[in-house]
Amino acid sequence: MDDDQEIAGLLVRHALERLGRRTVRAFACATGLGFAGLPVRSRRGTAMALEAAGFSRQEGWTYLHHRLDPHSPRPYGSGDIVECADPRYGWYVRLWERDGTLVGKATVTRPVEGASILEWIALMPRRGVFGHGLLERCLAPLVGHGVREVVTLLDTAEPGDSAVRDLHDRAGFREIDQLHPYTRRP
């Protein structure tokens, strides 16, 4: 890690010399290669170099992963998958109670090598049914469409973060890393 921090430090100093005295943001925009934010655990040397150069860490995202179990029984209701109006955005996944009541819906990307991104989810818990069970059951129909794993980002600055995070943890999601943008003011 010392080598990583030293190399990152050299690059940061070089960039700051070129940019002069102005506000500088690092890892604040998503790229074609990934989400916005520096993965602080897996790129610890870079995070330390930015902080040593006067950058401050901003609120970011928790990056979560969940492997779907193709053999797990799903006795509650039924689910379906519908194309989004604009197919670039993937699918709507819907979970129905046996009586036809909608109890969960999500938007996911089409899978790439068996992985989809959970973009958005809404659950309407019913008496005696817990949210994490609905989340698991809402994602279950994806298995039949080639999805083996799901990733998602949770905003760490949103109110109610701990409840949303707990919901995902209890449904089997595990944290991969935390993604944070950085800002350095003159």
Side-chain angles (χ1 to χ4, degrees), residues 63-136:
Y63 185 35
L64 302 174
H65 174 266
H66 178 55
R67 187 168 304 282
L68 298 176
D69 181 1
H71 306 294
S72 179
R74 307 291 181 197
Y76 182 87
S78 63
D80 62 6
I81 295 178
V82 179
E83 295 281 335
C84 289
D86 185 337
R88 292 178 298 173
Y89 298 111
W91 301 320
Y92 293 117
V93 182
R94 300 179 301 185
L95 178 65
W96 305 94
E97 218 172 71
R98 286 186 181 96
D99 69 2
T101 304
L102 181 67
V103 292
K105 54 187 175 179
T107 304
V108 298
T109 62
R110 291 172 187 265
V112 175
E113 296 185 19
S116 285
I117 299 170
L118 173 60
E119 300 276 352
W120 174 86
I121 190 159
L123 303 171
M124 290 64 79
R126 309 277 294 183
R127 189 170 163 201
V129 180
F130 297 102
H132 68 279
L134 288 177
L135 175 55
E136 289 178 86

Side-chain angles (χ1 to χ4, degrees), residues 15-184:
L16 291 174
E17 287 171 8
R18 298 276 182 166
L19 294 170
R21 292 194 44 82
R22 66 175 84 164
T23 298
V24 178
R25 290 175 175 69
F27 301 98
C29 296
T31 68
L33 300 175
F35 302 113
L38 174 72
V40 295
R41 275 201 301 269
S42 59
R43 301 276 306 275
R44 192 146 205 63
T46 303
M48 292 171 69
L50 286 167
E51 290 168 10
F55 283 82
S56 59
R57 183 186 299 189
Q58 309 301 302
E59 288 293 330
W61 301 268
T62 299
Y63 185 35
L64 302 174
H65 174 266
H66 178 55
R67 187 168 304 282
L68 298 176
D69 181 1
H71 306 294
S72 179
R74 307 291 181 197
Y76 182 87
S78 63
D80 62 6
I81 295 178
V82 179
E83 295 281 335
C84 289
D86 185 337
R88 292 178 298 173
Y89 298 111
W91 301 320
Y92 293 117
V93 182
R94 300 179 301 185
L95 178 65
W96 305 94
E97 218 172 71
R98 286 186 181 96
D99 69 2
T101 304
L102 181 67
V103 292
K105 54 187 175 179
T107 304
V108 298
T109 62
R110 291 172 187 265
V112 175
E113 296 185 19
S116 285
I117 299 170
L118 173 60
E119 300 276 352
W120 174 86
I121 190 159
L123 303 171
M124 290 64 79
R126 309 277 294 183
R127 189 170 163 201
V129 180
F130 297 102
H132 68 279
L134 288 177
L135 175 55
E136 289 178 86
R137 291 178 180 112
C138 195
L139 298 176
L142 293 170
V143 172
H145 290 271
V147 179
R148 295 184 307 275
E149 52 195 324
V150 176
V151 295
T152 194
L153 289 176
L154 299 181
D155 189 338
T156 60
E158 287 293 316
D161 287 339
S162 61
V164 172
R165 175 62 192 269
D166 183 57
L167 170 80
H168 284 78
D169 288 346
R170 292 180 68 197
F173 281 81
R174 296 296 170 247
E175 185 175 275
I176 295 172
D177 211 330
Q178 291 199 5
L179 306 174
H180 291 277
Y182 287 80
T183 302
R184 181 175 183 264

